[in-house]
Amino acid sequence: MSAKTIVLEVKNLSMNFGGLRALSDVDLDILQGEIVALIGPNGAGKTTCFNCITGIYDPTEGDILLRSPQGKGVRLNGLKPNQVTELGMARTFQNIRLFPSMTVLENVMLGTHCRTKSGILGAILRDRKTREEEVRVVNKSYELLKLVGLDHHVNDLASNLPYGAQRRLEIARALATDPFLLLLDEPAAGMNPNETIALEQLVMRIRDELDMSILLIEHDMKMVMSISDRVHVLEYGQKIAEGTPAEVGANPQVIKAYLGEEAVDA
Amino acid sequence: MEGFKKSLLACIWFMFLTFPLVVIRVDTAEKTVQWRWMHMLWVGLGAFLLSYVWRFMLKRKAMGRSATNPDGTPVVPFLQRLSANPPLARSIMAVIAIGALVFPWLFSTYQTNIMISAMIYIVLGLGLNIVVGLSGQLVLGYAAFYAAGAYSYALLNHHFGLGFWTALPLGAGAAALCGIILGIPVLRLRGDYLAIVTLGFGEIVRLVLENWNEFSMGPSGVSGISRPGLFSVELSVDGATTYIYYLMIGLVALTIFVINRLKNSRIGRAWLALREDEIACVAMGVDRMKTKLTAFALGATWAGMAGVVFAAKTTFINPASFTFMESAMILAIVVLGGMGSILGVSLAALLILLLPEYLRAFSEYRMLLFGATMVLFMVFRPQGLVSSERQRYEFKETKESQG
């Protein structure tokens, strides 16, 4: 395989909320086809970092550069979330944000919104182009539901799904936007060990089969250690370590951040 | 037994509360005091019965979630059974359609006029349903768009003699423009704040119409608006009423057709998603501004068309027809009918318009009944008369088809 290209590069990212500095000078990069984990204690700024990257917040300082596999680079600062999604980056949310009174299939179909074009007139007249697009969207969404194992729930309301399934549905919905970079915000939160293992396999499959790069925030260390290629560690808004899971696990600063001062001395 | 005791308590409490009002009567002329104990009995009995029924309904509602028939099969709502049985649904539709078509020949012009009003409200309800029911933007100034349509026709007709059919698209366009004008500044607002701003917008429009004499002829309104002519033939009042009646049937059918198609389209799904979770919706690549503005513009368009028909029907309009009460009434239709449900909104519009007409005897209690109905609905059927159903898709292995 040739030298891998960088798909996402974050340089000197800082985010202030009034007087509070939630992130300061964070650097981050993800290579094509990599699974990178972003970890850190609660309140370290992981989700803030996600929100800056996906355009929900406009960072105070720093640059965020997204490079598609075709080599087109775009600076994301100041773009709206939907524009960022259109460029090929999709995300899931820490506290599940599905569309509860829409069906499972419709949730995924919505993800294709920015890749489809039919407008009001098309919807009213239902011409051939619109019909063909609709069939394409339905089929693609169904395939994605198969991938995450929800193809038996197509017509259920999203709110009626069990918790773990809702998380997987969020992933399917994100994939429907045709991304090349997927951001997962604590995908395993609240899952039991079996579900977590299934999720690990799903994430690996998505990476391998769909040729995706993945950035994930996760608290489940077992999962982080087993699936990620590299790990970035945040504490109090600053990056304190970076490296392979083994390197990071042995880093005294990281141990201190997670377990406290005494653990390092012992 | 518990319920019985509680109802008894409620009954005693009410008898105590109303005692000074309904029992004691001081006759100042004869300087006597009357004790009307019978009244107390009636109050007690009424309170007891109401409280008992209330409790019974609440209990039934709590159990109703897992409703099953005696033989264990789940209770299927009537409408779902109907949609599972297309021949039956079709024949019911046919009966309704025939009934609607022969109506003006069977009943008087007065009745036909009432039906026209009811249908105008169906169109208004369905239009607001796009904004409130589908895209979840709580708009309290919907009457402003209605006014925009009505005044477009009235003024164009008055000053330039424009006919109904030319004014119809122009009125719709004017209302859509108003929708966009209102939509742009409120893009960032949602919920209560949006409601307040739109309420203000509705009032501003009404006040402008009331006070800008040179433009809208002030509170005295515009009169002598021409009725729609049939191929430039002047129709009699009765003829014009029948004509407008059929025109409204056409407009209602068009509205239902269009909204039904929009509901399950790419745009419709984006509206729903916007209603459900704005942040997630935007993060999934939906352009918030475009989606919201289309909802506002399309919702307003129907109000504009309804306004043009209204002006043509009454031949006289003034700002008093477009008060906040009007907006509230249309919103009540949407909420009672069921957010996002076409059938529900149509039924609610008919009920809310026709009941007061035929129950003139109770006209003094109209608002009271209105309020009570609202409260009862919110408690026992928060989803409205007919809850909206989402489209179902059927998949067979490998070969998929849309159902």
Side-chain angles (χ1 to χ4, degrees):
Chain A
M1 206 182 280
S2 60
K4 283 179 173 175
T5 51
I6 298 176
V7 284
L8 179 76
E9 195 176 4
V10 176
K11 281 188 288 198
N12 306 323
L13 181 71
S14 298
M15 181 76 213
N16 295 352
F17 293 108
L20 180 79
R21 201 165 174 84
L23 287 176
S24 65
D25 284 334
V26 173
D27 291 321
L28 201 78
D29 61 306
I30 300 161
L31 302 178
Q32 165 64 30
E34 240 188 344
I35 297 179
V36 175
L38 186 63
I39 63 169
N42 284 330
K46 302 178 299 278
T47 298
T48 308
C49 186
F50 255 45
N51 285 344
C52 285
I53 295 173
T54 52
I56 291 181
Y57 299 150
D58 191 11
T60 319
E61 283 162 45
D63 291 302
I64 304 163
L65 296 164
L66 186 71
R67 213 167 278 123
S68 71
Q70 290 80 40
K72 213 176 86 202
V74 188
R75 189 166 175 269
L76 298 184
N77 299 49
L79 291 186
K80 285 192 221 137
N82 58 303
Q83 292 169 318
V84 173
T85 308
E86 239 181 291
L87 289 170
M89 175 157 76
R91 69 170 294 177
T92 66
F93 293 89
Q94 184 179 351
N95 38 357
I96 303 173
R97 281 178 171 272
L98 288 168
F99 309 121
S101 58
M102 292 167 79
T103 63
V104 168
L105 188 73
E106 283 176 324
N107 265 274
V108 183
M109 282 163 86
L110 184 95
T112 65
H113 187 92
C114 61
R115 302 288 172 230
T116 44
K117 285 197 289 290
S118 66
I120 295 170
L121 218 60
I124 295 171
L125 301 176
R126 220 170 258 182
D127 55 323
R128 216 182 55 177
K129 232 169 73 196
T130 312
R131 284 201 311 268
E132 281 170 1
E133 189 181 273
E134 193 77 3
V135 170
R136 247 195 344 268
V137 165
V138 169
N139 289 341
K140 181 182 165 188
S141 307
Y142 185 63
E143 288 305 314
L144 285 171
L145 284 176
K146 261 189 188 161
L147 177 75
V148 299
L150 288 174
D151 47 324
H152 296 298
H153 296 281
V154 231
N155 290 321
D156 293 355
L157 291 188
S159 54
N160 292 344
L161 287 184
Y163 184 81
Q166 292 197 359
R167 288 235 172 253
R168 278 182 286 145
L169 176 56
E170 262 211 326
I171 295 178
R173 187 181 64 177
L175 288 176
T177 65
D178 268 341
F180 57 85
L181 172 63
L182 184 62
L183 276 65
L184 305 173
D185 198 344
E186 294 200 24
M191 286 190 172
N192 66 32
N194 287 336
E195 285 175 321
T196 310
I197 289 170
L199 180 73
E200 275 175 30
Q201 284 162 352
L202 176 66
V203 173
M204 303 281 257
R205 260 186 79 190
I206 290 171
R207 192 257 307 257
D208 298 336
E209 286 178 19
L210 305 175
D211 198 21
M212 193 93 39
S213 318
I214 293 167
L215 173 65
L216 82 155
I217 294 180
E218 192 44 74
H219 275 301
D220 189 319
M221 279 307 140
K222 240 177 79 198
M223 177 172 174
V224 169
M225 294 300 163
S226 66
I227 69 167
S228 44
D229 299 310
R230 280 187 306 132
V231 180
H232 295 263
V233 190
L234 285 183
E235 193 197 7
Y236 298 123
Q238 279 169 322
K239 197 163 86 170
I240 56 169
E242 168 187 356
T244 62
E247 284 168 12
V248 166
N251 188 319
Q253 259 194 302
V254 177
I255 299 172
K256 197 181 103 190
Y258 268 90
L259 301 172
E261 197 82 50
E262 300 81 15
V264 186
D265 299 336
Chain B
M1 209 56 225
E2 184 63 18
F4 185 78
K5 242 189 262 171
K6 280 199 173 149
S7 300
L8 204 65
L9 250 144
C11 140
I12 293 170
W13 179 238
F14 262 89
M15 289 200 283
F16 171 72
L17 274 184
T18 52
F19 177 77
L21 274 175
V22 300
V23 177
I24 305 170
R25 181 175 174 183
V26 182
D27 198 325
T28 42
E30 297 190 9
K31 298 202 171 129
T32 52
V33 177
Q34 271 182 300
W35 300 86
R36 299 170 299 176
W37 297 107
M38 267 319 268
H39 287 218
M40 188 158 145
L41 193 69
W42 288 125
V43 167
L45 214 61
F48 180 79
L49 279 177
L50 276 180
S51 156
Y52 200 78
V53 169
W54 177 260
R55 250 164 241 294
F56 175 74
M57 296 286 281
L58 275 180
K59 216 178 191 173
R60 224 185 62 159
K61 189 196 166 212
M63 305 218 295
R65 285 288 151 263
S66 54
T68 47
N69 287 328
D71 57 347
T73 52
V75 174
V76 183
F78 175 68
L79 281 169
Q80 226 163 320
R81 261 181 296 162
L82 204 61
S83 60
N85 188 354
L88 180 65
R90 241 175 278 145
S91 42
I92 290 179
M93 292 257 279
V95 169
I96 294 173
I98 292 170
L101 284 178
V102 297
F103 189 89
W105 308 106
L106 298 181
F107 295 92
S108 66
T109 310
Y110 170 72
Q111 304 286 353
T112 314
N113 252 320
I114 292 173
M115 280 314 275
I116 295 173
S117 297
M119 284 194 286
I120 288 179
Y121 277 88
I122 292 181
V123 173
L124 286 171
L126 289 172
L128 185 64
N129 190 29
I130 296 180
V131 190
V132 177
L134 294 180
S135 72
Q137 310 296 313
L138 184 53
V139 169
L140 288 183
Y142 196 63
F145 306 132
Y146 186 30
Y151 268 89
S152 299
Y153 177 44
L155 294 175
L156 286 172
N157 183 260
H158 183 85
H159 293 299
F160 307 109
L162 249 59
F164 175 82
W165 288 107
T166 339
L168 192 63
L170 288 178
L177 196 68
C178 280
I180 292 171
I181 289 172
L182 171 68
I184 290 171
V186 301
L187 271 176
R188 286 162 181 282
L189 304 178
R190 53 185 114 148
D192 321 358
Y193 304 100
L194 179 67
I196 293 166
V197 173
T198 52
L199 175 70
F201 176 79
E203 283 304 283
I204 289 170
V205 168
R206 186 181 61 81
L207 286 172
V208 166
L209 290 175
E210 208 153 84
N211 292 296
W212 193 0
N213 289 328
E214 296 76 27
F215 171 70
S216 63
M217 306 184 195
S220 51
V222 189
S223 53
I225 305 163
S226 31
R227 292 194 172 83
L230 188 61
F231 302 114
S232 68
V233 178
E234 278 291 315
L235 292 165
S236 65
V237 176
D238 280 12
T241 307
T242 315
Y243 183 43
I244 294 178
Y245 176 86
Y246 284 119
L247 209 143
M248 265 326 284
I249 286 192
L251 189 57
V252 168
L254 180 74
T255 315
I256 291 176
F257 173 78
V258 167
I259 292 177
N260 200 22
R261 288 225 154 157
L262 282 173
K263 219 171 104 174
N264 290 311
S265 70
R266 173 174 171 267
I267 304 284
R269 283 190 296 270
W271 284 340
L272 283 176
L274 200 68
R275 173 185 85 184
E276 303 279 296
D277 190 325
E278 203 167 311
I279 291 178
C281 172
V282 174
M284 289 306 123
V286 175
D287 189 330
R288 177 167 60 179
M289 185 168 108
K290 239 175 159 177
T291 312
K292 266 194 194 177
L293 284 185
T294 45
F296 269 102
L298 263 178
T301 305
W302 298 112
M305 290 202 254
V308 172
V309 176
F310 173 73
K313 172 195 165 236
T314 52
T315 70
F316 161 73
I317 54 166
N318 71 348
S321 309
F322 310 104
T323 55
F324 171 67
M325 264 315 295
E326 210 68 8
S327 301
M329 183 113 123
I330 304 165
L331 188 65
I333 287 172
V334 175
V335 174
L336 285 181
M339 298 254 209
S341 157
I342 293 174
L343 181 65
V345 170
S346 313
L347 283 179
L350 286 177
L351 278 181
I352 284 186
L353 257 286
L354 298 185
L355 280 187
E357 290 297 338
Y358 293 115
L359 297 177
R360 284 244 174 252
F362 299 102
S363 60
E364 280 170 54
Y365 304 102
R366 194 172 151 185
M367 276 302 149
L368 202 68
L369 285 174
F370 214 60
T373 321
M374 274 298 206
V375 171
L376 287 175
F377 257 82
M378 289 306 102
V379 173
F380 293 108
R381 219 179 148 75
Q383 74 272 41
L385 270 177
V386 183
S387 54
S388 70
E389 283 278 320
R390 296 306 306 157
Q391 184 168 354
R392 301 177 70 79
Y393 293 85
E394 299 301 333
F395 293 95
K396 293 175 200 89
E397 264 320 297
T398 64
K399 182 101 178 66
E400 286 99 26
S401 65
Q402 191 180 322

